[in-house]
Amino acid sequence: MREQLQRLLRNAWFPHFVLVMCGLFGMALFEYELERDSQVAVLVATGALAGMHWLMLRAYHNYGTDMLRYGVWKVLQLAGALMTGIVTAALMVILLPVVGDWQQMLLLAMLISMLVSFWLASVGCMLSFVSYVTPIVIGAVQVLASASSPELQNLAIFLVGLILVELLTGFRVSTLYTNKLMLKQLLLWTREEQSESMKQLERELAQLRTREQSLQLQLGSMQAHLEHNSSEQTQSLKQTFEKLRTSEERLQQALDASGLALWDWDLVTGRIYHTGSDKLLGVDAVDADQLLADLRPLMHPDDLPELRTAMLSHLRQETEGYRVEYRIRHADGHWVWIEDSGKAISRDGHGRVLRMLGTRRDISGRRQHEEELKLASIVFDTGSEAIMVMDGALQVLTTNQAFTRITGYERENAKAFKERLHRSLVASGPGSARQVLLEQGAWHAELTGVRSSGSTFPLRLRLHAVYAPDGIGLTHVVAFFTDMTQFREAQQRLDYLARHDELTGLSNRNLFHQKLQEVSCYAHSVDTGLALLHIDLDRFKLLNECFGTETGDEILRIVGRRLQRFSSPQRSLARLGGNEFVMVVSGLDEQGELGSLAEDVLAALRAPFVTAGEELLLSASIGISWVLGEEMDAHMLLNRAAVALGHAKYLGGNTWQLYRDEMSADGGERLQLEQQLRRGLKEGHVQAHYQPKLCLKENRIYAVEALARWYHPVRGMISPVQFIPLAEETGLIGELSETILRQACSQAKRWLDEGAPLQVSVNLSVQHLRQGNVLELVRTVLDDTRLPARLLELELTESQLLDDSERLLATIADLRAMGVQVAVDDFGTGYSSLGYLKQLPANSLKIDRSFIGDLSSGSKDAAIIRAIIAMAHGLSLEVVAEGIETGEQLEALQAMGCDAVQGYLIARPGPAAELQSLLQVENPIAWALESCTA
């Protein structure tokens, strides 16, 4: 770009000269066709461009190529080319449309001359030429677009074609010119490098010749001197060599005997002379030479800083010598401890070391012994047991830190303890400690020690004998003793926990059975009454789930303290586990006292429990078994109390029950019914029956409620009043609800396929809500049956709505998002908040049948139902009344604005096949009223 710009500046006068001449000639030739203002503007623009290019040319001649270092000149040159093109285009646009044919040809010749002149001046600078011709191309296109004659259009097309040909030719010439410049520059750089290389070779050749002449002179002088002294020095060297060889042999023998390896390090040449190092490293002499040149790869990384510090201190003349112990890896892979000693024996005038001499020796055995002694010392001082070292007469010589920690005596001030211990050990007789040590080598016993504070403590002492080398007599005795205080306390604690409940402090199950057996035998022997109260807290599991196990544990502690108020010599308390407690009462002659005692216990447990800032109210159930003068074991007594407790729970809790013989029969009946229900669910004996819902506004059957019915193969139809509570109690209600849900969705899909879409309502069990799997269950059933979600309605009771309300709201919202409908069942019988009902995303309310009995004008039931309907409609909820049995009830609800009804008046629950005839009725309301009067 620099070469191209230089060329352009040098050649710039030619195109601008042509431009000025063409401009002047055109103005003179076409002055009659142009207005005066246009002539002046063209002349001024042409003169300004010519002046600007003249100034740039003068600056180039004055400053040379230095001006090209500034980018502004490049920009000015391109701007000048662009302005020149604009002026040329302006001349073309102004003159071509207004002149005649021969004048147009003359004007075209001038334009071509200007293009050719600028192209010749711009060879090698394609960007400048493009800047020049771009406005001309635009002007030609404008003339072509506005031309009114074919001749003028042809001239414009010819001019554009000419410009394009010049552009292509210019691009090719510019490329060739650029390559030529690059080749020229490369040849110049190559020539300069070759010239510089030739000069450098000539200088080196001259230096070599001068050095050669100098070396020849020195060689001649040295050769003469050596020939003169060689004979004398040869004889002297032989004698010296013999002396050195003898001295070396003696030194080597001494080194071998001492285990030292000698090394001599010449720091100038880097050579190391050594003896014995090959044995230290486990390699031959040749390999030792290579390894000793740099020991760092063989050294243990933890020891390298210490050696470096010692060496640097000595090299800086801060020490007379150095001695370091470090590890080197032996050829077979193990670490060898080396003691390295050295000293600088030669330095130059600046204090730099020229030569060092030293020794190395293997100290692995010594280091191992030191480590063992150190480890033994650490074990001795840090052991958890007290350790004493005694002499052969059993006098204490030294003790460790554990001795001081246990006894409180310092090592130097333990004379009282040592004397007391010595007196205990030197007792005469064949069983003395010394005698046993001599015969068996060990002795142990439990003694009583005295601390420095004067308190005593139990200790377990063990003695181990250290015999003399000849095996006769004792040289030392090592004694170990342990403070048994914590062990005894832990043993007592374990004994207590093995017999008592850790949480409440009452007797546990083991101690309870032992006491019950003893009291049962005593009562039988003296012919007195014996009673057992089995106490169980109601809904304690729910309390644990809601408030946490810590609160539950605190409640159990409070219960234990309250029950201890009833403790006496004739009453024994125990906790069996969980929330179960028992009380054994002996010495009773009548059963009447048991009822009063049970009421007192229940009253004590009904009192508020205050824990963690919360006041909780609980209740309990008590099962009582009593025997008088009968031979009965403790196990049977406990079982009967458990049966009575189960009966109290069945009655709703917060009460007590005394065992009766018929309770066992009731329990067996319930257990048998439970087993049959489990089998019935598996074998398909539990089926869904459907009760229709009548829409009062549209007078049609729009939905059904699926109800569980159990047909026993032997006992026939079993009432839901019997098996529904049993299913809830035994945990089968979840499986029962899922069975009815699947059957109802399958039947609803069949109705849909038959052209009778009916919404099916299914009661949802609280077990599914607590387990949190309602969404998954409903989604799975809908997918399996392919039933649209809008045709499924789930009914929840008010009591279920109060159980974990936040999670329930989220679950119901997810169900609604799926398209499933939600209804609040048995509305009015619970305690739900109206504010909570406002947040509940339900679709409808079902009024409980207890409000349907008296709907006469002015009755309380009628007023309640009107309020419920008004409130529900205000919340955009539909109202369904259940339990409709009379025509008067139907007409009253229809008058109140109730949306739908269901009950025996419409139809009793039955199999799906029985509903076919009812679905065909065109006016169900009239049909229901007629069937009622009939």
Side-chain angles (χ1 to χ4, degrees):
M1 183 66 185
R2 186 182 186 92
E3 297 293 336
Q4 296 169 354
L5 192 56
Q6 288 177 358
R7 176 180 176 85
L8 190 60
L9 288 173
R10 289 196 297 266
N11 300 334
W13 66 271
F14 179 70
H16 296 105
F17 174 77
V18 174
L19 175 64
V20 171
M21 297 303 297
C22 290
L24 294 176
F25 182 77
M27 294 299 102
L29 185 64
F30 309 120
E31 60 178 335
Y32 298 105
E33 282 79 10
L34 295 175
E35 296 180 359
R36 177 63 58 181
D37 292 338
S38 300
Q39 295 177 10
V40 172
V42 171
L43 289 175
V44 170
T46 306
L49 286 174
M52 183 181 68
H53 284 289
W54 180 81
L55 290 176
M56 290 178 61
L57 186 61
R58 294 294 299 171
Y60 171 75
H61 288 298
N62 291 336
Y63 300 105
T65 58
D66 292 338
M67 64 174 284
L68 298 178
R69 297 175 184 173
Y70 303 98
V72 67
W73 293 102
K74 301 176 184 179
V75 176
L76 287 175
Q77 174 60 35
L78 296 177
L82 182 62
M83 293 299 299
T84 303
I86 293 174
V87 171
T88 305
L91 288 174
M92 178 181 65
V93 173
I94 293 172
L95 295 176
L96 276 178
V98 300
V99 297
D101 296 337
W102 66 272
Q103 292 172 333
Q104 289 179 351
M105 296 301 295
L106 184 59
L107 180 61
L108 180 61
M110 287 190 292
L111 291 175
I112 292 172
S113 64
M114 284 188 287
L115 286 173
V116 172
S117 65
F118 203 96
W119 175 70
L120 293 175
S122 302
V123 171
C125 186
M126 191 64 187
L127 183 60
S128 179
F129 185 72
V130 171
S131 301
Y132 171 73
V133 301
T134 299
I136 298 177
V137 172
I138 296 174
V141 173
Q142 183 177 354
V143 170
L144 177 64
S146 60
S148 59
S149 63
E151 291 81 5
L152 188 59
Q153 292 179 352
N154 292 333
L155 286 176
I157 293 172
F158 173 77
L159 184 59
V160 171
L162 178 62
I163 292 172
L164 293 178
V165 171
E166 288 187 358
L167 278 176
L168 293 176
T169 306
F171 177 76
R172 179 59 180 171
V173 172
S174 178
T175 303
L176 294 174
Y177 185 80
T178 302
N179 294 338
K180 177 182 176 182
L181 289 178
M182 292 176 61
L183 181 60
K184 179 181 178 181
Q185 187 67 32
L186 181 61
L187 291 174
L188 290 175
W189 288 347
T190 305
R191 183 182 300 172
E192 291 176 0
E193 289 179 355
Q194 289 178 351
S195 177
E196 185 66 27
S197 299
M198 292 297 295
K199 292 178 181 179
Q200 181 68 22
L201 290 175
E202 290 176 357
R203 288 194 294 270
E204 292 180 357
L205 181 59
Q207 293 176 358
L208 288 175
R209 289 175 180 174
T210 303
R211 187 175 179 183
E212 180 182 4
Q213 294 174 358
S214 176
L215 289 176
Q216 287 178 353
L217 293 175
Q218 292 179 6
L219 182 59
S221 176
M222 291 177 63
Q223 184 176 3
H225 181 70
L226 289 174
E227 290 176 355
H228 179 268
N229 295 328
S230 61
S231 59
E232 296 178 3
Q233 291 181 357
T234 300
Q235 186 64 28
S236 176
L237 287 173
K238 287 182 179 180
Q239 295 175 359
T240 303
F241 178 74
E242 287 296 330
K243 292 179 181 179
L244 287 174
R245 187 175 60 82
T246 304
S247 176
E248 183 180 359
E249 290 177 356
R250 292 176 180 174
L251 179 60
Q252 187 62 45
Q253 292 174 359
L255 292 175
D256 292 341
S258 63
L260 293 175
L262 180 66
W263 57 268
D264 185 354
W265 183 15
D266 187 346
L267 275 72
V268 178
T269 63
R271 296 186 61 184
I272 299 178
Y273 171 79
H274 65 91
T275 61
S277 296
D278 50 347
K279 297 180 180 179
L280 290 178
L281 301 176
V283 296
D284 55 24
V286 177
D287 294 335
D289 292 340
Q290 299 176 355
L291 295 176
L292 290 176
D294 187 5
L295 285 175
R296 287 177 297 178
L298 297 178
M299 289 186 58
H300 197 285
D302 295 341
D303 302 334
L304 187 59
E306 183 179 359
L307 176 61
R308 183 183 294 111
T309 301
M311 287 286 290
L312 291 176
S313 298
H314 181 59
L315 293 176
R316 290 194 293 263
Q317 303 185 39
E318 297 175 359
T319 59
E320 291 294 330
Y322 75 89
R323 183 186 300 272
V324 182
E325 296 179 0
Y326 54 83
R327 287 161 287 183
I328 289 182
R329 187 178 296 278
H330 195 269
D332 60 7
H334 71 276
W335 293 102
V336 178
W337 276 101
I338 302 295
E339 182 187 68
D340 191 349
S341 302
K343 182 178 181 181
I345 61 175
S346 177
R347 296 176 183 266
D348 62 8
H350 300 287
R352 289 177 296 186
V353 177
L354 302 177
R355 185 181 176 191
M356 293 186 67
L357 188 67
T359 60
R360 296 187 182 96
R361 64 170 177 166
D362 187 351
I363 59 170
S364 300
R366 192 196 76 190
R367 291 290 301 216
Q368 183 179 359
H369 182 63
E370 291 175 355
E371 290 294 330
E372 290 176 353
L373 290 177
K374 182 180 179 180
L375 181 60
S377 176
I378 293 174
V379 172
F380 181 76
D381 284 332
T382 61
S384 60
E385 285 187 306
I387 304 176
M388 301 177 293
V389 179
M390 304 177 178
D391 59 14
L394 301 184
Q395 291 284 355
V396 178
L397 301 177
T398 184
T399 61
N400 67 346
Q401 293 294 330
F403 172 86
T404 303
R405 176 173 48 82
I406 294 174
T407 64
Y409 288 105
E410 295 295 335
R411 186 176 300 178
E412 299 80 8
N413 303 321
K415 183 178 180 181
F417 185 90
K418 296 176 182 178
E419 291 179 352
R420 179 184 178 92
L421 179 62
H422 183 260
R423 290 194 299 269
S424 301
L425 297 177
V426 298
S428 60
S432 65
R434 181 176 174 77
Q435 185 67 29
V436 175
L437 286 172
L438 288 172
E439 295 176 358
Q440 303 179 10
W443 179 85
H444 64 88
E446 291 189 6
L447 305 176
T448 300
V450 180
R451 306 184 197 273
S452 60
S453 61
S455 62
T456 60
F457 67 96
L459 62 87
R460 181 175 180 82
L461 180 65
R462 293 176 288 115
L463 303 181
H464 295 275
V466 179
Y467 295 102
D470 56 4
I472 301 175
L474 299 175
T475 60
H476 293 85
V477 175
V478 181
F480 303 85
F481 75 80
T482 305
D483 185 358
M484 302 291 290
T485 303
Q486 294 183 353
F487 175 77
R488 294 284 176 82
E489 292 175 353
Q491 189 175 30
Q492 293 174 359
R493 177 65 177 169
L494 289 175
D495 292 341
Y496 176 83
L497 293 178
R499 300 165 61 84
H500 294 81
D501 175 52
E502 183 178 10
L503 189 62
T504 61
L506 300 176
S507 300
N508 63 7
R509 184 181 294 270
N510 295 331
L511 184 59
F512 161 71
H513 283 293
Q514 179 181 345
K515 288 184 177 181
L516 181 60
Q517 192 67 34
E518 295 173 356
V519 173
S520 177
C521 294
Y522 176 78
H524 179 68
S525 63
V526 298
D527 197 20
T528 58
L530 180 65
L532 189 146
L533 282 69
H534 194 161
I535 307 166
D536 184 88
L537 301 179
D538 297 331
R539 296 173 61 82
F540 184 76
K541 181 180 178 181
L542 181 60
L543 183 144
N544 253 345
E545 294 174 353
C546 296
F547 296 96
T549 56
E550 293 184 1
T551 300
D553 291 345
E554 182 61 25
I555 293 296
L556 293 175
R557 294 188 191 97
I558 298 174
V559 170
R561 291 194 294 268
R562 292 183 181 180
L563 291 179
Q564 285 179 344
R565 302 173 189 170
F566 301 94
S567 179
S568 69
Q570 289 77 30
R571 299 173 183 173
S572 299
L573 292 169
R575 180 189 174 209
L576 297 183
N579 58 321
E580 297 183 59
F581 298 84
V582 290
M583 179 187 299
V584 179
V585 183
S586 59
L588 289 177
D589 295 330
E590 297 180 359
Q591 296 183 8
E593 301 178 22
L594 293 175
S596 176
L597 176 61
E599 289 293 343
D600 292 342
V601 171
L602 291 177
L605 298 182
R606 291 191 193 104
F609 292 82
V610 180
T611 175
E614 297 281 348
E615 184 176 274
L616 304 176
L617 297 176
L618 296 178
S619 62
S621 301
I622 302 177
I624 306 174
S625 60
W626 181 77
V627 61
L628 177 63
E630 297 181 12
E631 183 177 357
M632 178 175 26
D633 60 8
H635 182 70
M636 185 177 296
L637 190 66
L638 184 61
N639 285 346
R640 289 185 174 182
V643 171
L645 175 63
H647 196 69
K649 289 282 188 180
Y650 179 74
L651 295 177
N654 195 25
T655 186
W656 61 273
Q657 288 290 308
L658 181 65
Y659 174 79
R660 302 184 303 275
D661 291 339
E662 56 268 21
M663 287 184 179
S664 295
D666 293 343
E669 173 66 20
R670 289 176 59 81
L671 180 60
Q672 184 179 10
L673 189 62
E674 175 189 349
Q675 298 299 320
Q676 293 174 353
L677 179 58
R678 292 181 185 273
R679 187 179 302 109
L681 288 172
K682 292 181 180 180
E683 296 178 358
H685 297 158
V686 179
Q687 296 292 325
H689 282 202
Y690 304 93
Q691 187 174 33
K693 296 180 182 179
L694 174 61
C695 178
L696 297 180
K697 294 181 179 179
E698 300 178 3
N699 193 13
R700 67 182 183 88
I701 304 298
Y702 75 100
V704 295
E705 180 180 2
L707 302 171
R709 293 296 182 264
W710 180 17
Y711 184 81
H712 194 278
V714 177
R715 302 171 58 178
M717 188 67 71
I718 297 178
S719 171
V721 179
Q722 289 183 280
F723 71 86
I724 294 296
L726 179 63
E728 293 176 345
E729 180 183 348
T730 58
L732 293 174
I733 190 65
E735 183 179 355
L736 178 63
S737 298
E738 182 175 350
T739 299
I740 299 302
L741 177 64
R742 287 187 176 276
Q743 293 181 12
C745 290
S746 298
Q747 181 59 47
K749 182 62 169 63
R750 285 192 290 270
W751 281 327
L752 178 63
D753 294 340
E754 294 171 359
L758 291 178
Q759 186 184 71
V760 60
S761 300
V762 180
N763 291 282
L764 198 62
S765 72
V766 69
Q767 181 177 354
H768 284 118
L769 291 176
R770 292 175 178 173
Q771 291 177 352
N773 61 347
V774 174
L775 290 174
E776 181 180 357
L777 174 62
V778 172
R779 185 179 291 110
T780 301
V781 172
L782 290 178
D783 291 343
D784 293 344
T785 59
R786 298 183 180 180
L787 178 69
R790 60 183 175 80
L791 296 180
L792 174 63
E793 182 182 62
L794 298 178
E795 296 186 2
L796 304 173
T797 63
E798 279 191 281
S799 60
Q800 291 173 331
L801 296 178
L802 297 177
D803 191 358
D804 196 3
S805 59
E806 292 184 1
R807 187 176 67 174
L808 179 63
L809 284 175
T811 301
I812 294 177
D814 292 339
L815 289 171
R816 289 295 308 275
M818 291 171 55
V820 177
Q821 307 295 304
V822 178
V824 181
D825 195 12
D826 299 338
F827 185 79
T829 61
Y831 304 93
S832 61
S833 166
L834 295 180
Y836 178 72
L837 184 63
K838 179 181 65 175
Q839 303 175 12
L840 186 66
N843 303 92
S844 60
L845 299 180
K846 295 190 68 175
I847 302 176
D848 188 69
R849 65 179 63 248
S850 59
F851 297 101
I852 306 299
D854 183 10
L855 296 182
S856 58
S857 178
S859 66
K860 294 182 179 180
D861 288 345
I864 292 174
I865 291 179
R866 289 192 188 95
I868 293 175
I869 293 174
M871 177 195 65
H873 287 170
L875 296 175
S876 300
L877 300 176
E878 295 184 355
V879 180
V880 180
E882 59 181 353
I884 308 302
E885 298 182 356
T886 66
E888 291 78 4
Q889 294 173 343
L890 176 62
E891 293 173 348
L893 289 169
Q894 188 175 17
M896 294 178 186
C898 184
D899 298 297
V901 295
Q902 74 177 91
Y904 287 174
L905 178 64
I906 311 302
R908 293 177 177 270
E914 297 181 0
L915 294 180
Q916 295 300 324
S917 59
L918 180 59
L919 296 178
Q920 304 300 325
V921 176
E922 295 182 358
N923 189 348
I925 295 179
W927 177 84
L929 295 176
E930 290 176 2
S931 62
C932 177
T933 56

